[in-house]
Amino acid sequence: MSRFELELAPVREGRKWAGFEVSYRAELESVAAGELLFSVPERIVSIPGTPYVTEDLHAADEHGTLPLVELEASEDSSGRYRRWAADRDLQGALQLRFFAPVRPHDKLTPVGPLFDLRAEDLGLFGAGITFLPLPGEVVYGPGGPEFDISLTWRLENGVRAISSHGAGDAEWQGPLSSVSFALYGAGEPQTITSGGFSLQAFAETPFELEEVAEYAAKAHAAFAEFFEDEAARYAVLVRKNLGKGTGGTAFPDSFAFGFSAVDETSAAELRSLLAHETAHNWPTLHDDHQKISWYTEGTAEYYSHVLPLRAGFLSAQDFAAQLTDRFQGYDSNALRTLDSNAASASYWSDPRAQRIPYGRGLRYLIATDLQLRAATDGVTSLDDIVLDILRTQRTGELVGVDGWLSRVTAVLGSAAEEHFRSMHAGDLIELSDTAFEGIVRPVPVIIDEYELGFDPASYRSEGRRIAGLRDGSRAALAGLREGDELVDHALPYHAVRRSDREIAIAVIRDGEPLSFTYLPAGESVQSVRWEVQS
């Protein structure tokens, strides 16, 4: 098996973390002059890649310096990619060295997936996909030839390193996507460990770090036991967003979390978020993203609530509160009737679309669990289907949507296919009152549909000017006007999911800064509130 050897060295300039010195050696099959040698995203989803200058990328092989030429960029639905070739044939292994600078950011930097390499007071971290130009085309998911891979860190005294592949130096076998789609961090972070779990904060946090870490560690232990992966390790890397917006991004065996420096996020929200992202480490399907997001997000939602409840460290009251939040968040989403393909196409232009797979997948899986139990007198449940898929995947077999359908139809017959198609079409998923019977029960309620009052894409438009302001909306009645310039690049974390919390929209109008506060509420819709059963 060919070798890929990566070496990283964090660089400090004075008291500031500047970036990584990077070098690697890759044993490749022959690459002719002018053919693609390596690539890196110019942009991946909404996040820019490191803007390298060709002269700063130093390539060599066994014959010495390898002059580079940049090729025409390629593009797909996930991003735009820069590509380089050599002006002579590659002889032997490719050696590449360069400096990867951190991305500058401020309070106006848009919140998106936590891919970019950023510096904090206590260190720096980012995902390889934005700063590592790797051989071949950029691969966002699994696939490609396997390598024997090593990661070596060069560290000053007192500096520690962490990656998705563990603390410090690491070795593993896998495709180059396991190098690119991984976190790399170094510095002197606040660190809390428990068994195979670690939380590393690269910035001072406004919340109680120990409390959040304790819950996340318990969740990780419960998930690892349930998903039959008791030797599992997991790392959470924490950074600060200077502006509005809180969220995170899951990676293999790790999770990047960014909290807002200006918006308050409750400990309950953080616990729930970390549990959800930790659950992402196991259930998945191998298929196009828009085909499987209901499963990846739905199973993460389902098990991040259910497993802590079963393990006894989530109370029935908190379980009911979490379900109520998720159900009402979905029912108040004005895009909830979009079919899955239409929702997927709007993920990066409308934050409401990003929430669709979460609520839809959760409802569908709860309903499917009830159907499986009813059809087998309680012998078969959702757990059996999910674990069977996971065990099959661990043998090396890829399981996609067809694998899910074959398993549920084997128990439920053709009705399972109809139920699945209805879910994807955006039809309402009916739930029996017997869901979680003996613990909680759903009570019908009327809530307000979430309505920002203007097109959410205004935040990503040229000039960030309000467009599509709806007459009579709470936004219009509060005083917002078409064409107002939005000060912030993103809404607060709760503001794309809750119609019962006031939001403050800061704008500039004719050079004057203004702020307007209102409830983002629209028409009344049917939903449920979950209550603890006595």
Side-chain angles (χ1 to χ4, degrees), residues 100-232:
V102 295
R103 179 192 179 192
H105 65 286
D106 57 28
K107 67 179 183 179
L108 297 182
T109 302
V111 175
L114 277 66
F115 292 159
D116 48 341
L117 180 61
R118 286 197 192 181
E120 299 290 344
D121 291 340
L122 304 179
L124 73 167
F125 76 82
I129 196 165
T130 58
F131 72 87
L132 291 178
L134 294 177
E137 299 283 5
V138 173
V139 179
Y140 189 54
E146 298 273 311
F147 287 81
D148 269 324
I149 299 169
S150 67
L151 167 63
T152 304
W153 292 90
R154 287 191 291 111
L155 303 171
E156 300 174 354
N157 287 338
V159 175
R160 304 186 302 278
I162 185 74
S163 76
S164 297
H165 300 285
D169 297 349
E171 294 201 5
W172 69 96
Q173 291 184 344
L176 291 182
S177 60
S178 68
V179 176
S180 62
F181 200 65
L183 288 171
Y184 301 91
E188 300 159 337
Q190 300 178 68
T191 302
I192 299 173
T193 61
S194 176
F197 175 87
S198 74
L199 186 148
Q200 311 214 12
F202 287 75
E204 296 291 340
T205 62
F207 47 84
E208 188 62 44
L209 202 62
E210 289 78 8
E211 179 187 352
V212 173
E214 180 183 10
Y215 186 89
K218 287 179 179 177
H220 174 261
F223 297 163
E225 180 179 4
F226 175 78
F227 291 116
E228 302 168 344
D229 191 14
E230 295 187 46

Side-chain angles (χ1 to χ4, degrees), residues 9 26 46 62 74 116 162 172 206 213-214 231 233 298 300 360 392 428 484:
S46 58
E62 64 183 28
S74 63
D116 48 341
I162 185 74
W172 69 96
E214 180 183 10
R233 66 171 188 277
R360 183 174 294 175
T392 302
L428 177 66
D484 283 346

Side-chain angles (χ1 to χ4, degrees), residues 48-64:
T50 304
Y52 292 112
V53 176
T54 300
E55 290 72 22
D56 293 336
L57 300 171
H58 305 285
D61 62 8
E62 64 183 28
H63 285 188

Side-chain angles (χ1 to χ4, degrees), residues 348-364:
W348 305 115
S349 61
D350 192 330
R352 296 172 300 174
Q354 295 178 27
R355 302 301 308 173
I356 294 296
Y358 295 72
R360 183 174 294 175
L362 175 62
R363 281 195 181 213
Y364 169 71

